Amino acid sequence: MNSTFLSGERLSAGLTLAARLAFAGLLFSSASMWRWVDVERRVPPLFGGYTDFFVYPSDLFLLLTLAFGFPAILVSGNRITRGPWYLTLPLVALVTLSFISTFVSVDPPLTLYHSIRLLLLLGLYFVLCNLVPPAGWVAVPLALGVMAQGGVAILQFVNQSSIGLGRLGELPLDPLKTGTSILRYDDVRILRAYGLTDHPNLLGGFLAFALIFILGYYFALADFGSRKRRLRVLLFLPLALGLIALFYTFSRSAQLAFGMGVVVVFAASLRERAQRSLRLREWLVVALVGVSALAVPFINNQRLIAQRVGQANAFSDNVGEARSLNERDELTNSANRLFAAHQLWGVGNGALTLTMYYLDKQFPGDTYYYQPVHFVLLVAATELGLFGGFFWLWLMAMPPLVMWLRRARLIQDVWRAAIAASVIMLLVVSFFDYYPWLWQAGRVWQWSAWGLFAGVFSIRQPLVESTNTRIQDA
């Protein structure tokens, strides 16, 4: 009897460890858009990413997380949780609507492909609800990912070209070629940093997502012994590299989202009056690291910064900025027209760009690129219909509301605040970009944030429980 119990306990522990390793690999590889397999289904002039079927390295780690995670949950003997209803129900509804939209899509196989991806991510959400990973298993792989992606990004910006990592998924980058994401002033074209992603905004999203967990982990470790406190200085390297790389992406949405995430973590870190002066000194150290890292990039790129914040009428007088804003307006108008014509069931998950090309003859395709509108709520409503839009709006509103209603739990420890901040950050990004909805990388961050949030903000979880216990286990 005892040997059977111990065997089951060892099996559960082994499966849980394997699931954590796989999830760490998923986080580390999540930003990479290196395509192991590309099933081409091109519809010129559309970008192949909107029509093709891909297999990414992160897909392997996602499948492994599920393959080890669900058996670990079953053999653990613990009660299986479905997660808080305010997240689980709308997420299940979105996946269901996605499969239903296959029947009305202009490209049913494409919508089925995206629906299967959402189903796998729903599985990830349930695994994270039940096997909430210790903080180190989240922050450390993200820190390693920041050093890899950040190092590549900084070299790209300094060299103003790709650096020969095509075999690892790096795009051929040339600021003089049309289609490359650049900034310009006068006749000078400046390459934005891509890393190993498909776009600077995507890299910016990863860096912001990762940095907030690194920051949360740094402060959370302060609650433990002197040895772990000393080891915290190792986090300064990915923090500095990540901030520089985030700067070189010139992604306004990612930078704004990171700023809001920092506000959440800052507020939580000052929760106890007795430690407030100590925390402020620690924040001063972090700020010093950040300022030191960003000083040279900031000084050397004054004109680009002025352009990105709209100084000197940059939004109207700068050709690149004006074109970008006009393009976003046209994409919004097109999505509104398609939504009005397909309000009930939508046009099919992942099929907005294709539907725009086939059905919206008013879109100026000879002037602007066909792509989804840069507002996830409108994308969800257009692709999945009114119900899809409603459930996404619910997912936008409920986490902040729960954070407010359960703010005592939010400020219990900084790691929990970092998880909450990640959800807020992706909410901010969703107002300006569509990758949390469409691209594999953005989806992994979004569903991971929801899963981690569900694990630590479950309504049934006792208020006195602290995630510091999980940090200590890391």
Side-chain angles (χ1 to χ4, degrees), residues 7-34:
S7 297
E9 194 175 56
R10 288 182 186 138
L11 178 60
S12 176
L15 289 170
T16 300
L17 176 61
R20 288 175 178 176
L21 285 168
F23 182 60
L26 174 63
L27 293 176
F28 174 79
S29 63
S30 61
S32 174
M33 298 298 284
W34 179 25

Side-chain angles (χ1 to χ4, degrees), residues 75-135:
V75 303
S76 67
N78 297 328
R79 179 184 176 187
I80 299 175
T81 177
R82 295 186 295 272
W85 66 269
Y86 58 83
L87 285 180
T88 302
L89 288 181
L91 291 176
V92 170
L94 282 177
V95 175
T96 303
L97 288 171
S98 180
F99 277 100
I100 293 174
S101 72
T102 302
F103 297 101
V104 297
S105 174
V106 296
D107 188 342
L110 179 65
T111 297
L112 182 60
Y113 161 82
H114 284 288
S115 300
I116 292 172
R117 283 197 169 278
L118 287 192
L119 182 61
L120 293 175
L121 290 166
L122 181 63
L124 175 65
Y125 167 82
F126 283 121
V127 168
L128 293 177
C129 284
N130 288 273
L131 301 177
V132 183

Side-chain angles (χ1 to χ4, degrees), residues 142-154 193 203-212 214 235-250 254-255 258 289-290 293-294 297:
L142 287 173
L144 295 174
V146 165
M147 288 192 288
Q149 292 283 350
V152 172
I154 292 169
L203 174 62
F206 169 71
L207 293 171
F209 179 79
L211 285 170
I212 206 66
I214 294 171
L235 296 174
F236 287 155
L237 177 59
L239 184 63
L241 281 176
L243 288 172
I244 296 171
L246 179 59
F247 179 90
Y248 284 150
T249 66
F250 292 94
Q255 292 165 356
F258 177 66
V289 171
L294 294 174

Side-chain angles (χ1 to χ4, degrees), residues 23 27 87 128 138 142 205-216 253-254 257-265 395 399-400 403 410 414-430 435-436 442 444-454 456-457:
F23 182 60
L27 293 176
L87 285 180
L128 293 177
V138 178
L142 287 173
F206 169 71
L207 293 171
F209 179 79
L211 285 170
I212 206 66
F213 282 110
I214 294 171
L215 198 59
S253 61
F258 177 66
M260 296 193 68
V262 169
V263 170
V264 174
V265 175
L395 288 167
M403 291 176 202
L410 175 65
V414 186
W415 180 247
R416 182 177 277 131
I419 292 173
S422 71
V423 176
I424 294 294
M425 288 165 52
L426 288 163
L427 169 62
V428 172
V429 168
S430 73
Y435 60 78
V444 168
W445 308 329
Q446 180 69 80
W447 288 75
S448 295
W450 280 331
L452 293 170
F453 185 90
V456 300
F457 280 90

Side-chain angles (χ1 to χ4, degrees), residues 212-232:
I212 206 66
F213 282 110
I214 294 171
L215 198 59
Y217 191 46
Y218 173 82
F219 285 103
L221 286 176
D223 294 333
F224 297 101
S226 58
R227 179 175 173 271
K228 287 193 174 183
R229 281 190 171 188
R230 289 194 298 269
L231 289 175
R232 292 189 306 159

Side-chain angles (χ1 to χ4, degrees), residues 42-56:
R42 303 294 166 84
V43 180
L46 303 186
F47 171 53
Y50 300 131
T51 57
D52 292 0
F53 298 159
F54 302 111
V55 176
Y56 303 100

Side-chain angles (χ1 to χ4, degrees), residues 329-412:
D329 288 342
E330 291 294 344
L331 291 170
T332 300
N333 293 336
S334 177
N336 283 330
R337 289 191 291 268
L338 292 173
F339 172 71
H342 304 83
Q343 293 184 33
L344 187 56
W345 299 113
V347 300
N349 190 8
L352 174 55
T353 305
L354 206 55
T355 306
M356 185 186 303
Y357 175 67
Y358 283 142
L359 301 182
D360 187 11
K361 303 306 179 183
Q362 298 182 50
F363 182 78
D366 54 342
T367 304
Y368 302 115
Y369 294 110
Y370 288 96
Q371 58 183 304
V373 59
H374 293 244
F375 180 31
V376 172
L377 177 60
L378 184 53
V379 178
T382 306
E383 292 191 348
L384 301 185
L386 280 169
F387 295 108
F390 169 78
F391 287 120
W392 187 269
L393 181 62
W394 178 276
L395 288 167
M396 292 173 67
M398 283 305 294
L401 178 60
V402 170
M403 291 176 202
W404 174 251
L405 294 177
R406 307 185 71 79
R407 55 192 178 276
R409 178 176 298 170
L410 175 65
I411 63 174
Q412 274 186 338

